[in-house]
Amino acid sequence: MLDSKDKKLLILLQTDAKKTTKQLALELDLSVTAVFERIKKLEKQKIIARYVALLNNEKILKSFVVLCHVKLIQHKKEYISQFEKEITQFPEVLECFHVSGDYDYILKICVRDIQEYREFMVGKLTNLQHIASTQSSFMIKEVKNSTVIEP
């Protein structure tokens, strides 16, 4: 079970994982050793899954964000497995969710511009088998983007 210090530590790490153990200890009013041990415990328990660097999409010319809804022809297990295996191979697809509702999947795709998205659709996505239809929505403005989950 997470106590209040663990929860605060997780929020601090999600906000800035490059803070030193000493900085975290000061903010949590704990010893450096206690913070180090808590972090190791959270990693061992897989509560902390991994550490990453978040990039500025505009600086790397990948600020055209698309939410693409995908409907499969049928919900056969083999179609689902094949689609999920293939879609994970595309670096343009940042996230893929199997969802309920009118569509089977929602993809978050990040590319340079509409032309690059067209190339992705024509050259990759629509070449996959068992896709019945797709619907694309383009991001106009990012209102909120957070990676912090309150434990």
Side-chain angles (χ1 to χ4, degrees), residues 72-121:
L72 299 182
I73 295 168
Q74 289 182 322
H75 295 153
K76 288 185 177 180
K77 185 177 182 179
E78 64 192 78
Y79 292 1
I80 290 170
S81 295
Q82 183 177 357
F83 176 81
E84 289 178 1
K85 181 181 177 198
E86 291 174 342
I87 204 69
T88 61
Q89 303 305 308
F90 299 145
E92 298 90 346
V93 177
L94 299 184
E95 299 176 50
C96 175
F97 302 99
H98 192 181
V99 296
S100 63
D102 292 338
Y103 288 90
D104 300 310
Y105 292 91
I106 298 176
L107 312 177
K108 181 179 177 184
I109 300 163
C110 200
V111 290
R112 181 182 61 247
D113 53 25
I114 189 79
Q115 179 59 35
E116 191 172 304
Y117 182 63
R118 182 183 185 283
E119 291 168 13
F120 169 77
M121 285 294 290

Side-chain angles (χ1 to χ4, degrees), residues 13-26:
L13 287 172
Q14 288 178 91
T15 305
D16 182 1
K18 288 196 73 162
K19 283 189 177 183
T20 66
T21 310
K22 184 178 179 180
Q23 289 171 309
L24 294 168
L26 287 170

Side-chain angles (χ1 to χ4, degrees), residues 2 7 10-11 14 146-151:
L2 298 175
K7 290 177 181 180
L10 288 169
I11 290 170
Q14 288 178 91
S146 177
T147 58
V148 177
I149 300 170
E150 291 232 10

Side-chain angles (χ1 to χ4, degrees), residues 35-148:
V35 170
F36 178 82
E37 288 173 357
R38 282 175 183 265
I39 291 171
K40 289 300 166 201
K41 176 189 76 167
L42 294 166
E43 290 170 346
K44 185 177 179 185
Q45 293 174 336
K46 305 273 192 247
I47 292 170
I48 297 175
R50 62 187 170 165
Y51 297 92
V52 299
L54 301 176
L55 305 182
N56 180 327
N57 294 9
E58 290 181 21
K59 298 281 186 188
I60 60 168
L61 305 177
K62 297 289 182 180
S63 60
F64 193 76
V65 178
V66 182
L67 296 178
C68 180
H69 296 69
V70 177
K71 185 182 292 191
L72 299 182
I73 295 168
Q74 289 182 322
H75 295 153
K76 288 185 177 180
K77 185 177 182 179
E78 64 192 78
Y79 292 1
I80 290 170
S81 295
Q82 183 177 357
F83 176 81
E84 289 178 1
K85 181 181 177 198
E86 291 174 342
I87 204 69
T88 61
Q89 303 305 308
F90 299 145
E92 298 90 346
V93 177
L94 299 184
E95 299 176 50
C96 175
F97 302 99
H98 192 181
V99 296
S100 63
D102 292 338
Y103 288 90
D104 300 310
Y105 292 91
I106 298 176
L107 312 177
K108 181 179 177 184
I109 300 163
C110 200
V111 290
R112 181 182 61 247
D113 53 25
I114 189 79
Q115 179 59 35
E116 191 172 304
Y117 182 63
R118 182 183 185 283
E119 291 168 13
F120 169 77
M121 285 294 290
V122 172
K124 293 182 179 181
L125 189 61
T126 56
N127 285 336
L128 298 182
Q129 295 179 346
H130 316 304
I131 293 181
S133 66
T134 64
Q135 178 193 341
S136 300
S137 300
F138 309 108
M139 180 185 75
I140 295 170
K141 177 185 174 190
E142 185 173 271
V143 177
K144 180 179 180 181
N145 182 343
S146 177
T147 58
V148 177

